[in-house]
Amino acid sequence: MPKIEPKILKGFRDFLPERQIVRQKMIETIKASFETFGFEPLETPALEYAEILTGKYGDEGDKLMYRFRDNGDRDVALRYDLTIPLARVVAQYENDLKKPFKRYQISPVWRAENTQKGRFREFYQCDADIVGSNSSLSDAEVLALSANTLCKLGLKTEDFVIRVNSREIISAFYDSLELSAEQKQIAVRMVDKIDKIGREGIEEELKKSEFSAPDIKAVLNFAGTKIDDVKKIETTKKSFPAIKDALNRLSVIVTKALILTPKAKFVMDFSIARGLDYYTGMIFEVSLVKAPQFGSVVGGGRYDNLVGMFTNKSVPAVGASIGLDRLISALSELGLVKEEKTVTKALLVNFDESLTDDYLKIATELRSAGVNTMLYFETADLKKQLGYASDKGIKYAVLYGPNEAKEGLVVIKNLEKGIQEKVKTKEILKYFQK
């Protein structure tokens, strides 16, 4: 049989234990944060009918979708995000779900895009959404949840900025310019890329699309507007009178979010547009102050028309999505992620085959008490077994040989500190509890 080269596809990754332990701990922290706010878990299939997913993300999103015909000749696609599957669930089980329906899902999604630092073709999203409420409190809670979760992961409020905008503000502004529908789409798409292509890039693209010089100036002025102090709101209304009502509504949301998370930094940033077509109201992105190169690590907003694509009924919804892999990459670069080699706490050294039954009883007792324990399977030299434990990052070694068996003792060696202690066999649990 010819040798098969072991390899994986570009944009996909294996996670060895020391990395996966970090991921699992972060997921557990995120889940705990979501549940603190009353969100409940949901799981949806990785594969959906293509018609469920297509036409919801814009042309660019459809191009990046992993889409194919399965063995039953059905047109199917891997999920591109977790929001469209949620909308399908709400429509499919609309009579069974009590609203407001607060759900979270932490699962992989797939996008066939160009890979780059912190960006992959298979990655995890951690979503929390509120379906069935159009209250500004639900928008504020999603913003506060995002801040709370980042703080639970070890960041301080000064380490990140929550940039907010509103699709209502965007629509009101571009309507005031009397642009064509196509020009509005071009302008929104270009402004959303301001961090990547800069003002000069936007100006060049708008010129190609035959925008007038006054309109280009107005778009650039709008895109460069940032409000980081409530005192600037009134001045902004005077500069852009068409957005007055929409800006008032966004201000209410931010004010309520600040009550929920008083120390968080919010900036109203009119360049934020979010690339997905389904957003209808408040939108936001969270970036890290000391790692801006990773872009948005949390994003989301309000999408009141999405569920209606499946039901022909208007169902309000708002949510947030954390890009787990991008966030881990950013936190690693900032030194906020500590890799661990193992989840095992104690190695039970195997001295003598005649003591196997005792080893199994000790291991069972420790495991039953929640002490992650590994039994070395073969009898081997002590130095070899302790070296194995040290290399694995196991903190404790439990030594139990013929002499210890006669005395009713075990020796527990702290491999990090290089010290050991004799403990009565019956009191081994007390040692670890202490």
Side-chain angles (χ1 to χ4, degrees):
M1 182 176 178
K3 177 184 175 182
I4 300 173
E5 181 185 354
K7 58 183 179 180
I8 56 175
L9 294 166
K10 184 179 180 181
F12 294 78
R13 295 161 296 164
D14 294 315
F15 296 103
L16 298 183
E18 52 267 28
R19 193 64 170 173
Q20 186 60 14
I21 291 169
V22 170
R23 290 166 55 82
Q24 287 184 172
K25 287 192 173 183
M26 285 188 68
I27 287 173
E28 289 167 5
T29 301
I30 293 168
K31 285 171 62 178
S33 178
F34 288 172
E35 291 179 0
T36 298
F37 277 68
F39 290 82
E40 297 174 335
L42 174 74
E43 191 64 44
T44 60
L47 206 61
E48 297 269 6
Y49 283 104
E51 64 182 20
I52 297 292
L53 303 179
T54 55
K56 317 296 190 306
Y57 306 106
D59 292 339
E60 186 174 352
D62 286 350
K63 290 176 183 176
L64 296 179
M65 203 173 293
Y66 279 99
R67 182 177 179 178
F68 56 95
R69 303 199 77 84
D70 69 3
N71 291 344
D73 200 35
R74 289 164 292 213
D75 188 9
V76 297
L78 287 170
R79 61 186 174 219
Y80 181 90
D81 74 353
L82 303 177
T83 309
I84 300 298
L86 169 64
R88 191 261 306 154
V89 166
V90 172
Q92 190 170 345
Y93 303 96
E94 61 177 332
N95 295 326
D96 301 321
L97 299 175
K98 298 294 183 182
K99 296 183 180 64
F101 175 51
K102 299 176 70 174
R103 87 84 173 89
Y104 73 84
Q105 181 171 351
I106 301 175
S107 301
V109 298
W110 295 268
R111 299 179 187 179
E113 58 186 351
N114 292 328
T115 56
Q116 53 184 287
K117 190 171 186 178
R119 189 182 292 270
F120 306 95
R121 290 174 177 168
E122 179 185 57
F123 56 96
Y124 267 70
Q125 286 188 333
C126 311
D127 283 19
D129 293 78
I130 303 170
V131 181
S133 172
N134 55 20
S135 168
S136 59
L137 289 176
S138 59
D139 296 69
E141 181 160 291
V142 164
L143 293 175
L145 173 69
S146 302
N148 180 77
T149 304
L150 290 176
C151 289
K152 293 289 186 183
L153 290 169
L155 289 165
K156 297 178 181 178
T157 50
E158 59 264 29
D159 293 331
F160 57 88
V161 177
I162 304 173
R163 299 188 295 164
V164 298
N165 196 10
S166 165
R167 280 294 177 95
E168 293 177 321
I169 288 176
I170 293 171
S171 296
F173 170 72
Y174 287 113
D175 285 346
S176 72
L177 296 184
E178 299 182 355
L179 300 174
S180 68
E182 183 180 357
Q183 284 182 314
K184 288 178 187 176
Q185 289 181 347
I186 292 172
V188 171
R189 190 168 64 250
M190 289 300 106
V191 168
D192 197 37
K193 296 180 179 179
I194 192 169
D195 291 338
K196 297 178 181 178
I197 65 176
R199 292 173 64 89
E200 296 77 10
I202 292 175
E203 184 174 2
E204 193 63 34
E205 291 298 324
L206 295 182
K207 284 180 180 178
K208 291 179 183 178
S209 300
E210 300 182 348
F211 280 68
S212 68
D215 284 345
I216 292 175
K217 183 178 179 181
V219 169
L220 291 174
N221 188 28
F222 177 75
T225 300
K226 293 177 175 58
I227 306 173
D228 55 7
D229 189 328
V230 291
K231 296 176 183 177
K232 296 180 181 180
I233 293 177
E234 292 305 317
T235 304
T236 305
K237 290 177 186 176
K238 293 177 182 177
S239 300
F240 306 103
I243 71 169
K244 178 181 177 181
D245 292 339
L247 181 55
N248 283 338
R249 286 190 287 273
L250 183 61
S251 300
V252 169
I253 292 170
V254 173
T255 300
K256 291 175 179 176
L258 279 168
I259 295 174
L260 289 167
T261 175
K263 295 182 179 180
K265 182 177 181 181
F266 289 90
V267 175
M268 297 183 197
D269 185 341
F270 293 167
S271 70
I272 299 296
R274 302 291 291 160
L276 303 178
D277 286 354
Y278 53 62
Y279 288 113
T280 58
M282 183 274 295
I283 49 179
F284 74 97
E285 293 184 352
V286 185
S287 56
L288 303 182
V289 174
K290 295 181 180 179
Q293 67 274 23
F294 288 94
S296 170
V297 294
V298 189
R302 177 163 286 280
Y303 51 97
D304 289 346
N305 299 329
L306 191 55
V307 177
M309 290 185 171
F310 301 103
T311 63
N312 289 326
K313 300 176 185 177
S314 179
V315 180
V318 63
S321 179
I322 298 173
L324 179 69
D325 300 278
R326 188 184 298 189
L327 181 58
I328 289 176
S329 296
L331 294 182
S332 295
E333 190 151 309
L334 293 174
L336 295 175
V337 171
K338 181 181 178 182
E339 290 192 351
E340 298 179 37
K341 292 183 178 181
T342 184
V343 295
T344 303
K345 190 169 186 178
L347 175 74
L348 185 52
V349 175
N350 190 338
F351 279 110
D352 192 324
E353 285 188 8
S354 67
L355 296 174
T356 297
D357 289 352
D358 287 347
Y359 294 143
L360 296 177
K361 289 176 183 178
I362 293 172
T364 300
E365 184 178 10
L366 288 170
R367 291 165 179 169
S368 298
V371 180
N372 297 346
T373 304
M374 176 180 175
L375 169 63
Y376 203 88
F377 296 121
E378 294 83 24
T379 56
D381 177 70
L382 176 60
K383 184 177 180 180
K384 179 180 179 181
Q385 295 188 55
L386 293 182
Y388 173 84
S390 182
D391 290 343
K392 287 283 292 180
I394 298 173
K395 186 173 181 179
Y396 297 98
V398 179
L399 284 62
Y400 182 82
N403 292 335
E404 287 77 18
K406 290 177 183 178
E407 298 176 18
L409 300 172
V410 295
V411 175
I412 302 178
K413 189 176 182 66
N414 186 317
L415 299 176
E416 286 184 345
K417 297 180 179 179
I419 59 176
Q420 63 185 41
E421 183 177 341
K422 288 186 177 182
V423 178
K424 291 180 180 179
T425 307
K426 294 180 180 180
E427 295 181 357
I428 187 171
L429 290 182
K430 289 183 180 180
Y431 176 91
F432 284 103
Q433 289 167 351
K434 179 182 68 176

